[in-house]
Amino acid sequence: MSRLPVLGEPAVLDDVGPPRRGRAYPAAGATSALVLPAALLLGGLVLWPVLRTVHASVTTGGRWVGAAHFREALAAPGTGAVVGRTLLWALLVPAVVTGLGYLLAASSRRSQEGGLVRLILVVPIALPLVVTGVTFRLMYDPDPSRGLATLVAARLTGRSGDLVPQLLGPRLVTVALMSAFVWAWVGLAVLVFRAALDRLPSSLADAVRAYGGTRRHVLWDAQWRPLLLRTVAVVFALVALGTSRTFDLILVMTPGSVRDEAAVLALRVWQTSGGTTTGEGAALGVIWLVAVAAGMLVAALFVRQAWPPPRPAEPAEPDPGAAPPPRLFRLLAAGAAIAWLVPLAVLVATSLHGPVDAAARGWWSAPPSLASYRGLVTGSELWRALAFTLLLATVVTATVLVVAVLAAYPLAWLTGPTAQVTGLLLMTAVVVPVQVIAGPVNEVLGMVLSSGTARGLALVHMALGVPFAVLVLRNAFADLPADQVRAARLAGRHWWGTLRRLARHSRPAIVAVSVLEFVQVWNDLVVGLLFSGPDAAPLGLFLAGQTRGFVANSGALAAGSVIASVLPVALVVLARRHLVAGLVSGGVR
């Protein structure tokens, strides 16, 4: 936008609109300043650590050793099984989550109970994976006097508890872990599929029927081909990338005696190198990073689109005469909701028993008590962890939001290959596993005197949160209608005035980024485990520490898990519609 004198009066020449949409704005100097904070965080705490890890994987003491570390890492006992188990997680679990998500989304539409079903399925999304691990470990306890699943299996088979297959034993522990992960992630798939189904115009189905199409033709030509195939790719990619971060679940849910039988690369890299840089650990990390990046690129090919993205069509009006799903489907949705409530009920019921009762017998055989809650709230350790985590999550969220808004503003006006490359780089930064770069990140933090401190922990969270936030906000700015952009630029005398007005129009995306980042920091375990110190212990680390004596601490652990889940669950439930829009937009563009 420029101002020129015409007949003695200032005239505004507006260059905003579809034909000129790609013109960079603001100017180059301001763009560099706006992108600089994000570039420093990503360059210092993501890009350089990745390069340092790659360098460590092929050198020893600065001397080139080629593939020696890779051969040693792959030849180590159990590594082949770990890699195979990681691939199984990346293929089987996303397929189950995607299939269940579509079925439950379709079966909960146009029914009175559908809203309640979706609300129940959404709750596990917000739970920390530490809490999910605690919940399912309580359910799958091998002692039938404490584990509900073991008791039910014993009653159904007529066997004693010793003869029932142990879900937390070496043969079934991976199945148990996968069931917990599916329980936690199906709600996300349901929300995304529901949003996609709501955008399907009913006229498509009517046109297929008018040409003599059967129900099968309607499903394929009016649902899957126009929209749902792409949605399947999005959901599958999101869940597949999520399976690369199962560290918290495995560490908390599996007994120490069977942890090797459940290990995936997320755990093996940590076991090999921890928070340091070693050749073998770096080699495993590079293998893992290449696999994750390749998966991200494949997903990007499935969901690729032009940039800037076209304006989405208005959601189709619901057809008041449309029939609800068949009764069988509605029963499936109701049954799923009941099944999804069982683990939550087990967690809450266990928390409502004293420490002795919770450790000695099942919640169904002892009177309720608030003794476990009293033991927690009267101590100082839980309050210290809650206060620290609340402050950490608030500061990190505010900083990430500011940095991402500043960087997303100029990036939204890029077009062509530059925009696509920028998007791919940001997506790659999103999926970098923190265990892979833990050693180099600790080296960087040591240089700025932040290693093992609250400041260092906050810096790591900021660096990990910025790429996704920039993606979501960049897409939100680029999606704004041209008339809103024109009005903002006409009203704003400087770029910060324009940015402020555009941010107001992008409020849903800003809410999504804020909630997602806050919940991510609040629910974290792995970042705290790798980078915290004695004076910087977050809530996830406090809960994980209680699992060392799991049976003896089960009452207090359940009570702490309930307390830790209240805030993230409330935030996700209240902002669930904004989260769906943010996840779909940020994940595919």
Side-chain angles (χ1 to χ4, degrees), residues 163-455:
L163 298 178
V164 173
Q166 303 299 317
L167 284 168
L168 295 180
R171 290 186 299 174
L172 295 177
V173 65
T174 297
V175 175
L177 288 164
M178 288 180 175
S179 68
F181 190 90
V182 169
W183 178 81
W185 278 72
V186 159
L188 172 65
V190 170
L191 288 181
V192 175
F193 275 116
R194 175 60 195 272
L197 289 169
D198 287 346
R199 285 188 173 274
L200 287 173
S202 57
S203 57
L204 283 178
D206 295 338
V208 174
R209 293 190 189 98
Y211 281 92
T214 63
R215 179 174 294 183
R216 179 176 61 85
H217 293 109
V218 170
L219 178 65
W220 177 250
D221 293 323
Q223 291 188 9
W224 285 94
R225 286 180 64 186
L227 183 60
L228 291 184
L229 276 177
R230 189 163 177 265
T231 306
V232 166
V234 172
V235 173
F236 193 97
L238 284 173
V239 180
L241 294 174
T243 61
S244 68
R245 300 184 178 183
T246 54
F247 176 88
D248 302 14
L249 189 65
I250 296 174
L251 192 66
V252 171
M253 187 173 161
T254 57
S257 59
V258 298
R259 194 162 290 159
D260 288 341
E261 284 76 9
V264 293
L265 281 173
L267 188 67
R268 178 56 68 92
V269 171
W270 173 72
Q271 290 174 328
T272 303
S273 59
T276 61
T277 305
T278 64
E280 186 176 338
L284 279 176
V286 170
I287 293 172
W288 186 16
L289 183 61
V290 169
V292 172
M296 181 275 301
L297 289 174
V298 171
L301 290 175
F302 274 105
V303 298
R304 67 186 184 275
Q305 64 183 45
W307 183 265
R311 285 287 302 159
E314 291 298 321
E317 290 294 329
D319 184 1
R327 187 183 180 192
L328 178 62
F329 278 20
R330 284 181 284 150
L331 289 175
L332 170 67
I338 294 172
W340 255 247
L341 279 175
V342 171
L344 296 174
V346 169
L347 179 67
V348 174
T350 304
S351 72
L352 292 174
H353 289 81
V356 175
D357 286 338
R361 47 186 172 167
W363 50 268
W364 58 87
S365 58
S369 167
L370 294 176
S372 293
Y373 284 98
R374 280 196 296 268
L376 276 177
V377 299
T378 55
S380 61
E381 194 173 358
L382 173 65
W383 292 112
R384 191 182 305 115
L386 282 170
F388 175 77
T389 306
L390 180 62
L391 178 61
L392 177 69
T394 303
V395 171
V396 169
T397 301
T399 305
V400 166
L401 186 61
V402 171
V403 171
V405 166
L406 294 178
Y409 175 51
L411 295 180
W413 316 117
L414 298 177
T415 56
T418 305
Q420 300 290 358
V421 170
T422 302
L424 288 175
L425 289 176
L426 288 171
M427 288 182 68
T428 304
V430 168
V431 301
V432 171
V434 66
Q435 296 96 315
V436 172
I437 58 175
V441 168
N442 271 320
E443 295 174 7
V444 174
L445 295 179
M447 296 177 188
V448 295
L449 304 178
S450 299
S451 182
T453 66
R455 182 174 59 180

